[in-house]
DNA sequence: GATTAGGCTTTG
């Protein structure tokens, strides 16, 4: 599998915190503090300094306005008139794509962006025109830092060139090239949306110094849990290690109980009395983090406890690292700043190091074991009172319980919500009897609510064994007989945190639950219900095999020889790394959607992976080398010239300097390998039709050398080969032998560490129990039945991948229409970019078996994204 | 500016 670390890619969330402009020596200088958020780490960096200004924020100062003598040209007119002088012209557009900053040499950069015209000239019908813009040098660097997608920019001082990617991207036949002192970009940014983490300040006119507006907010200090002094009122942060949902106290309030801890390892009990439920801590599970303001420290039984006091407020957060930091609170105004954010991050990181988080937050019905106590996240479908101390809740979570679920029969017309469901759905519904104090909270619940029920007990055995035989008329009647049935009880009292909580619709857990539920097709439910044989139930507690009404063949097969039974994704997630699993799943989604981005270059030596540069970038690398300086050629090289016929007045015929290997010439193989100097990318490609191997070279310091290794070092027909910048030690030599000249031989002669084309995709798999992100990488070629090298060079290979993905995951198709895949997965540990260990999954030894679609795989017409470079 | 509870060793 190699040693490449593949982790879920971290997206760099980037936003400008503030921009300040100074007038400095009569030149405008733009200082931008930008904040980067990367996983759990935050840092600031300052870009821009007292250098001449190249990228300017409009409205920031007098010099930042577009000079009045410049006139704007519509993007559609760029390049239409060969005589146009663009030195006094501008082009305006919105940044719709922004490429990475590519480093060419230590202080030279290149960056590609696409801008789209927004308002000029107004056009109702077709799409607004857009154009590629290539920026060079410090301008590229500044642009990379200062401009975001969505910004509106005005470019001036540009040159216009033919776009080498026009055939591919159909964007614009020309592009804008910005380099040198004259080039400038003016930026204006739409006003930022309000920060959702900073709710508007309270309208209360209260003089409370507390949770006011951000500007007036006082500095809060937080007391560590080993530093609590009895009698004081403090603010504190903690990780929840135990909690009880709010329950009615004997007094006037609801009471909730927390036990929290922090880096001091002290465990401190905390009691909250509030009349209103919404003012209580919104804690959903152990590991949640709470911030408490104004709690009184009391000594009880020789330990410190916390009780809320006047002005009390609480925020709660999810516990796992990397999750969103969205405070849960009913308060409409609260103080919240970067320091709070950092504190939560630190507690999360500490929590994970202490293994305080439960491995499995809640147990799905599919994993419920007889007699076990567990927490359940589910949706309420219906409820019915049984008697004054017992209420029936009918719930489901989209998973299938391994045991038959008992249906409790209730009197007619007492059920809130549907009294029965389709046969298939019924088989997925669990009956929960809630007792005593929980009856009162059940009254508040509405069918459709998403619930978490704490300390639920699975009651096993036959209905008779539970005293619920059909002849019994006591509390409920069960229609099922047998020994393999389950019913659930929520016992009275609040011991062990027993209780019911309604989860907010926007919570992560509810989103996850919905995904699982949506993956259960109606037909499948009915299909399931036919199979009530206990042996079959055992089998069918694993993912459904053919849930669609019209059974579809499985679209992939495993070629491995592991002797292991398929598991559900939820089971797989509960087991550790270092194992191989078989799963039967559907493809829910995949990345990248633009399939050409799945193609990467991989160095087997340093194990680094990089993107394949696009033609715009390559074209600029070639064009930079047009004017070669004088050069001493190596003694083995025979020099000559080759004529490249032109195809238009813009591209006249040119003769270029070529160098041949004496050894190959003597072997009568003059066309096997040429070293070509000063060619453009286009010319190189054209010559590649006539020469087997072309190595583009340039003169540097009076000697012949390769171009920058961002460019291919070798062209072989339509194939291009790249070298690793880190691992190559370039010297231009002729190959040793003459028998076979291929990319390996050439690379070896040139001291180039050859990069390999690979395919890398992230697939989101799903079954009835869960979803899972997996990588398709080392076995991607055998999965698709194509080589990555072919994908880089030929349309048929690209079509094959596109069609395979379309058939596994049809656009706009429902889950029911997606084929099922038998896959072999391996689970392994890898470090993410923040240095945190996480479990990753990779598809191994699995192959798509069916032709991807009914359309011909040899079709040469491609629509939409292809993997063309 | 009172009162509530102060986990738990698990009924139906």
């Amino acid at each position: 599998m190699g040693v490449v670390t593949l982790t879920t890619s971290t997206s760099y969330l980037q936003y400008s915190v503030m921009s300040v402009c100074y007038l400095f020596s009569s030149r405008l200088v733009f200082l931008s503090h930008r904040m980067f958020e990367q996983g759990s780490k935050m840092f600031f960096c300052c870009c821009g300094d007292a250098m001449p200004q190249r990228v300017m924020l409009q409205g920031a100062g007098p010099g930042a306005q577009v000079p009045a003598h410049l006139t704007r040209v519509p993007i559609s007119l760029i390049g239409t008139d060969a005589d146009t002088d663009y030195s006094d012209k501008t082009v305006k557009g919105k940044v719709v794509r922004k490429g990475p900053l590519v480093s060419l040499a230590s202080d030279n950069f290149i960056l590609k962006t696409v801008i789209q015209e927004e308002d000029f000239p107004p056009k109702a019908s077709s799409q607004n025109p857009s154009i590629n813009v290539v920026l060079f040098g410090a301008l590229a660097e500044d642009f990379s830092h200062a401009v975001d997608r969505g910004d509106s920019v005005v470019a001036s001082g540009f040159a216009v060139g033919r776009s080498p990617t026009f055939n591919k991207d159909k964007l614009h036949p020309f592009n804008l090239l910005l380099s040198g002192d004259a080039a400038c970009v003016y930026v204006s940014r739409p006003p930022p949306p309000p920060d959702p983490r900073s709710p508007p300040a309270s309208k209360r006119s209260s003089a409370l110094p507390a949770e006011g507006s951000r500007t007036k907010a006082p500095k809060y200090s937080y007391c560590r849990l080993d530093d609590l002094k009895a009698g004081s009122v403090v603010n504190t942060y903690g990780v929840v290690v135990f909690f009880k949902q709010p329950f009615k106290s004997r007094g006037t309030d609801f009471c909730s109980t927390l036990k929290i801890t922090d880096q001091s390892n002290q465990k401190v009990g905390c009691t909250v009395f509030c009349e209103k439920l919404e003012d209580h801590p919104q804690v959903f599970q152990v590991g949640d983090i709470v911030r408490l303001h104004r709690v009184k420290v009391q000594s009880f039984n020789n330990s410190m406890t916390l009780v809320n006091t006047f002005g009390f407020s609480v925020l709660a957060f999810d516990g796992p690292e990397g999750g969103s930091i969205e405070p849960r609170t009913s308060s409409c105004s609260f103080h919240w700043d970067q320091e709070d954010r950092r504190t939560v991050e630190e507690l999360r990181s500490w929590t994970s190091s202490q293994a305080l988080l439960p491995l499995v937050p809640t147990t799905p019905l599919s994993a419920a074991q007889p007699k076990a106590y567990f927490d359940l996240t589910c949706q309420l479908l219906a409820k019915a009172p049984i008697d004054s101390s017992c209420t029936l809740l009918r719930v489901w979570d989209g998973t299938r319980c391994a045991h038959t679920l008992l249906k409790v029969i209730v009197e007619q017309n007492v059920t809130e919500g549907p009294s029965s469901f389709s046969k298939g759905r019924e088989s997925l519904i669990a009956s929960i009897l809630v007792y005593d104090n929980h009856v009162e909270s059940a009254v508040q619940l509405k069918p459709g609510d998403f619930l978490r029920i704490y300390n639920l007990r699975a009651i096993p055995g036959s209905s008779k064994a539970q005293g619920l035989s059909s002849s019994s008329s006591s509390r409920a009647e069960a229609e099922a007989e047998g020994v393999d049935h389950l019913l659930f009880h929520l016992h009275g009292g609040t011991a062990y945190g027993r209780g019911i909580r309604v989860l907010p619709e926007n919570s992560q857990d509810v989103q996850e639950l919905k995904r699982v539920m949506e993956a259960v097709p109606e037909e499948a439910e009915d299909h399931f219900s036919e199979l009530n044989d206990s042996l079959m139930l055992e089998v069918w507690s694993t993912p459904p095999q053919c849930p669609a009404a019209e059974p579809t063949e499985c679209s992939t097969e495993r070629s491995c020889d592991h002797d292991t039974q398929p598991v559900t994704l939820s089971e797989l997630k509960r087991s550790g790394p270092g194992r191989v699993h078989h799963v039967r799943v559907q493809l829910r989604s995949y990345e990248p959607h633009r399939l050409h981005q799945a193609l990467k270059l991989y160095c087997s030596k340093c194990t680094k992976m990089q993107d394949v540069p696009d033609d715009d970038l390559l074209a600029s690398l070639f064009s930079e080398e047009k004017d070669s300086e004088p050069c001493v050629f190596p003694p083995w090289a025979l020099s000559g010239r080759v004529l490249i016929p032109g195809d238009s007045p813009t591209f006249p015929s040119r003769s270029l300097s070529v160098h041949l290997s004496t050894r190959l010439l003597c072997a009568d193989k003059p066309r096997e390998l040429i070293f070509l100097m000063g060619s453009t990318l286009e010319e190189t490609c054209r010559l590649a039709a006539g020469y087997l191997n072309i190595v583009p070279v340039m003169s540097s310091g009076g000697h012949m050398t390769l171009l920058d290794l961002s460019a291919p070092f070798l062209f072989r027909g339509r194939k291009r080969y790249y070298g690793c910048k880190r691992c190559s030690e370039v010297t231009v030599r002729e190959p040793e032998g003459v028998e076979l000249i291929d990319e390996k031989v050439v690379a070896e002669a040139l001291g180039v560490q050859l990069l390999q084309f690979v395919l890398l995709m992230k697939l989101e798999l799903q079954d009835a129990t869960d979803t899972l992100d997996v990588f398709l990488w080392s076995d991607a070629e055998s999965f698709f039945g194509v080589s990555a090298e072919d994908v880089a060079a030929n349309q048929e290979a690209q079509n094959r991948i596109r069609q395979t993905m379309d058939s596994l995951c049809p656009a706009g198709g429902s889950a029911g229409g997606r084929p099922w895949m038998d896959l072999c997965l391996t689970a392994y540990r890898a470090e993410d970019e923040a240095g945190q260990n996480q479990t990753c999954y990779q598809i191994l030894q699995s192959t798509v078996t069916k032709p991807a679609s009914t359309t011909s795989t040899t079709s040469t017409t491609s629509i939409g994204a292809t993997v063309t470079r």
Side-chain angles (χ1 to χ4, degrees):
Chain A
M1 176 166 68
V3 286
V4 177
T5 319
L6 293 172
T7 61
T8 316
S9 71
T10 308
S11 62
Y12 288 76
L13 206 77
Q14 197 180 76
Y15 44 97
S16 176
V17 172
M18 58 175 178
S19 318
V20 190
C21 288
Y22 298 95
L23 230 46
F24 182 84
S25 309
S26 79
R27 304 185 85 153
L28 186 77
V29 175
F30 160 86
L31 190 70
S32 159
H33 292 270
R34 304 183 65 77
M35 190 179 75
F36 296 83
E37 178 185 292
Q38 182 201 354
S40 60
K41 291 206 173 76
M42 295 225 202
F43 49 95
F44 286 83
C45 69
C46 175
C47 50
D49 49 23
M51 296 286 288
Q53 186 51 27
R54 294 167 294 250
V55 177
M56 301 192 202
L57 209 61
Q58 275 202 299
Q65 303 302 330
V66 182
H69 70 275
L70 300 178
T71 53
R72 183 173 163 193
V73 194
I75 286 179
S76 56
L77 295 183
I78 292 286
T80 48
D81 179 358
D83 297 331
T84 305
D85 172 14
Y86 289 99
S87 62
D88 61 347
K89 299 286 187 289
T90 64
V91 166
K92 186 178 178 190
K94 188 167 95 176
V95 175
V96 291
R97 218 152 71 201
K98 182 184 157 196
L101 184 68
V102 177
S103 162
L104 300 175
S106 62
D107 58 347
N108 196 11
F109 297 95
I110 190 164
L111 183 146
K112 201 182 121 183
T113 183
V114 178
I115 63 170
Q116 185 173 46
E117 202 146 65
E118 289 180 287
D119 54 340
F120 180 73
K123 247 191 196 171
S125 54
S126 62
Q127 206 191 358
N128 288 339
S130 44
I131 190 166
N132 283 301
V133 182
V134 188
L135 302 108
F136 298 87
L139 183 67
E141 204 182 353
D142 287 357
F143 187 93
S144 170
H145 293 310
V147 180
D148 290 326
R149 244 180 54 172
D151 287 347
S152 177
V153 295
V154 175
S156 69
F158 50 82
V160 169
R162 276 256 278 230
S163 169
T165 53
F166 177 57
N167 281 338
K168 190 181 77 184
D169 60 30
K170 303 280 184 291
L171 223 51
H172 197 293
F174 291 84
N175 57 17
L176 306 183
L177 305 163
L178 278 91
S179 64
D181 290 344
C184 191
V185 176
Y186 303 84
V187 190
S188 56
R189 180 164 300 161
D195 188 341
R197 285 174 296 271
S198 307
S202 167
K203 290 204 180 82
R204 280 182 292 174
S205 56
S206 152
L208 271 180
E211 348 274 60
S213 73
R214 278 193 291 174
T215 46
K216 285 192 214 148
K219 190 83 189 133
Y220 285 88
S221 61
Y222 294 92
C223 192
R224 278 199 15 157
L225 296 175
D226 57 349
D227 210 20
L228 300 171
K229 304 278 182 294
S232 60
V233 172
V234 299
N235 308 317
T236 190
Y237 265 98
V239 181
V240 175
V241 292
F242 173 78
F243 66 101
K244 279 185 183 183
Q245 295 304 324
F247 57 92
K248 201 96 186 83
S249 74
R250 284 183 230 272
T252 58
D253 295 329
F254 280 96
C255 172
S256 51
T257 299
L258 302 177
K259 185 169 267 179
I260 59 174
T261 186
D262 68 5
Q263 289 93 336
S264 72
N265 251 322
Q266 288 290 317
K267 296 196 170 48
V268 176
C270 175
T271 309
V272 174
F273 296 105
C274 288
E275 208 173 349
K276 290 190 206 141
L277 278 172
E278 61 263 32
D279 293 337
H280 282 260
Q282 295 185 47
V283 170
F284 299 142
Q285 68 183 53
V286 165
D288 281 357
I289 290 166
V290 288
R291 188 192 77 174
L292 304 164
H293 275 183
R294 291 175 215 87
V295 283
K296 193 159 67 186
V297 183
Q298 294 176 340
S299 176
F300 179 78
N301 277 350
N302 293 326
S303 53
M304 296 300 172
T305 59
L306 303 170
V307 184
N308 62 311
T309 180
F310 308 106
F312 165 79
S313 78
V314 57
L315 305 182
F317 307 87
D318 286 343
E321 284 188 289
S324 82
I325 302 193
E326 198 74 43
R328 297 194 286 266
T329 175
S330 65
S331 173
C332 59
S333 84
F334 55 91
H335 175 87
W336 175 248
D337 64 19
Q338 286 310 319
E339 213 163 306
D340 288 286
R341 211 180 165 82
R342 197 161 50 241
T343 307
V344 172
E345 294 285 13
E346 281 166 7
L347 275 171
R348 282 179 171 179
S349 154
W350 177 78
T351 304
S352 84
S353 72
Q354 302 293 303
L356 280 176
L357 286 171
L359 283 176
V360 184
T362 63
T363 305
L365 283 173
S366 60
Q369 292 302 320
K371 294 187 180 169
Y373 291 91
F374 65 104
D375 297 343
L376 176 71
T377 308
C378 58
Q379 185 181 33
L380 181 66
L381 295 173
K383 62 173 184 173
I386 302 290
D387 63 26
S388 64
S389 66
C390 180
T391 293
L392 169 70
L393 303 181
R394 306 205 68 208
V395 307
W396 79 313
D397 70 356
T399 75
R400 172 164 300 272
C401 185
H403 307 265
T404 312
L405 296 170
L406 209 65
K407 185 176 180 186
V408 175
I409 307 298
V410 297
E411 287 172 41
Q412 289 212 314
N413 306 323
V414 297
T415 304
E416 192 177 332
S419 51
S420 68
F421 294 83
S422 73
K423 214 172 170 192
R425 173 66 65 92
E426 284 286 354
S427 70
L428 298 177
I429 299 177
S431 298
I432 301 176
L433 296 171
V434 308
Y435 290 97
D436 305 337
N437 54 318
H438 307 302
V439 168
E440 203 178 334
S441 40
V443 169
Q444 312 296 325
L445 307 176
K446 289 179 289 298
D449 279 351
F450 293 96
L451 309 179
R452 183 159 290 163
I453 305 179
Y454 299 91
N455 200 233
L456 197 58
R457 183 161 207 214
I459 308 291
S462 72
S463 50
K464 277 203 166 89
Q466 293 303 311
L468 292 170
S469 74
S470 51
S471 60
S472 161
S473 61
S474 57
R475 274 181 164 160
E477 292 181 2
E479 68 174 8
E481 295 279 338
V483 290
D484 191 38
H485 296 99
L486 279 189
L487 177 73
F488 301 88
H489 284 183
L490 181 65
H491 296 318
T494 63
Y496 300 98
R498 262 180 234 140
I500 305 175
R501 168 123 227 167
V502 178
L503 294 176
E505 189 106 10
N506 62 1
S507 80
Q508 201 72 45
D509 299 305
V510 170
Q511 298 306 316
E512 190 57 38
L513 190 65
K514 282 183 171 176
R515 271 205 291 276
V516 175
M517 288 170 173
E518 281 162 15
V520 183
E522 284 286 336
E523 315 92 274
E525 293 175 32
D526 285 328
H527 197 62
F528 279 132
S529 63
E530 318 269 308
L531 301 150
N532 43 15
D533 174 78
S534 65
L535 186 69
M536 285 305 281
L537 275 169
E538 202 52 42
V539 173
W540 285 83
S541 64
T542 56
Q545 289 190 331
C546 300
E550 196 177 299
T552 46
E553 278 177 49
C554 207
S555 55
T556 67
E557 67 182 22
R558 294 185 294 265
S559 55
C560 62
D561 48 14
H562 305 119
D563 183 22
T564 162
Q565 288 300 307
V567 294
T568 64
L569 292 181
S570 76
E571 286 167 331
L572 180 150
K573 276 187 167 175
R574 283 197 298 274
S575 63
R579 297 161 86 164
V580 166
H581 303 278
H582 290 173
V583 295
R584 175 161 275 213
V585 291
Q586 288 173 297
L587 180 59
R588 187 181 158 81
S589 67
Y590 59 92
E591 286 175 37
H593 240 276
R594 291 167 172 274
L595 285 173
H596 69 265
Q597 292 168 350
L599 194 65
K600 307 278 178 195
L601 292 166
Y602 169 69
C603 177
S604 57
K605 195 166 178 187
C606 65
T607 72
K608 294 275 195 297
M609 214 180 266
Q610 65 188 66
D611 287 328
V612 183
D614 72 19
D615 278 1
D616 269 343
L617 203 69
L618 296 186
S620 60
L621 293 171
F622 277 79
S623 63
E624 281 198 336
E625 309 306 335
K626 269 181 187 160
D627 304 313
S628 305
E629 47 182 287
C631 187
V632 179
F633 299 106
W636 53 262
L638 276 173
S639 302
R641 297 195 78 78
V642 62
L643 184 78
I644 317 255
D647 62 353
S648 69
T650 336
F651 292 94
S653 298
R654 295 209 303 144
S655 91
L656 296 175
S657 162
V658 291
H659 311 277
L660 310 179
S661 149
T662 314
R663 193 177 289 145
L664 286 168
L665 207 62
C666 293
D668 200 25
K669 293 182 168 178
R671 300 181 86 80
E672 287 270 315
L673 172 67
I674 63 168
F675 296 84
L676 181 65
M677 190 174 269
S679 62
T680 63
L681 174 64
E682 202 182 8
E683 289 162 345
T684 315
C685 294
R686 269 199 276 162
L687 273 187
Y691 294 85
L692 220 52
N693 294 285
I694 298 181
V695 176
V697 290
M698 63 179 203
S699 169
S700 170
H703 293 281
M704 187 163 94
T705 182
L706 297 185
L707 305 191
D708 183 282
L709 276 185
S710 302
F713 70 92
L714 174 67
F715 288 71
R716 276 172 69 78
R718 294 177 65 183
K719 292 185 178 176
R720 301 169 186 183
Y721 295 91
Y722 294 84
C724 177
K725 280 190 180 185
R726 287 178 208 84
C727 304
S728 302
E729 287 176 37
V730 174
T731 24
V732 179
R733 287 172 307 196
E734 59 179 340
E736 293 285 339
V738 295
E739 286 313 310
L740 169 77
I741 307 293
D742 64 8
E743 67 277 10
K744 292 195 182 80
V745 172
V746 176
E748 164 120 31
L750 299 173
V752 166
Q753 174 66 39
L754 188 65
L755 292 177
Q756 196 185 328
F757 281 103
V758 293
L759 293 164
L760 169 63
M761 298 184 81
K762 190 168 84 179
L763 311 187
E764 187 190 10
L765 308 179
Q766 69 177 17
D767 66 7
T769 65
D770 212 334
T771 65
L772 182 74
D773 283 342
V774 302
F775 290 108
L776 176 58
W777 174 59
S778 62
D779 286 9
E781 293 183 321
S782 57
F783 182 85
F784 290 113
V786 292
S787 82
E789 201 174 291
D790 283 346
V791 172
N794 106 36
Q795 189 73 60
E796 280 177 31
Q798 297 163 17
N799 290 346
R800 188 174 172 86
I801 294 189
R802 161 57 60 203
Q803 287 164 357
T804 301
M805 296 315 287
D806 283 349
S807 81
L808 294 177
C809 192
S814 68
R818 286 177 214 144
W820 289 81
M821 302 185 283
D822 278 325
L823 296 177
C824 174
L825 300 182
T826 176
Y828 57 100
R829 298 291 278 177
E831 259 187 19
D832 64 14
E833 283 148 70
Q836 294 292 322
N837 259 325
Q838 63 178 82
T839 303
C840 298
Y841 302 87
Q842 204 190 147
I843 297 176
L844 293 180
Q845 301 182 71
S846 309
T847 309
V848 175
T849 49
K850 286 208 309 182
S853 78
T854 49
T855 53
S856 163
T857 50
T858 55
S859 159
T860 47
T861 54
S862 72
I863 312 158
T866 67
V867 271
T868 311
R869 297 303 325 169

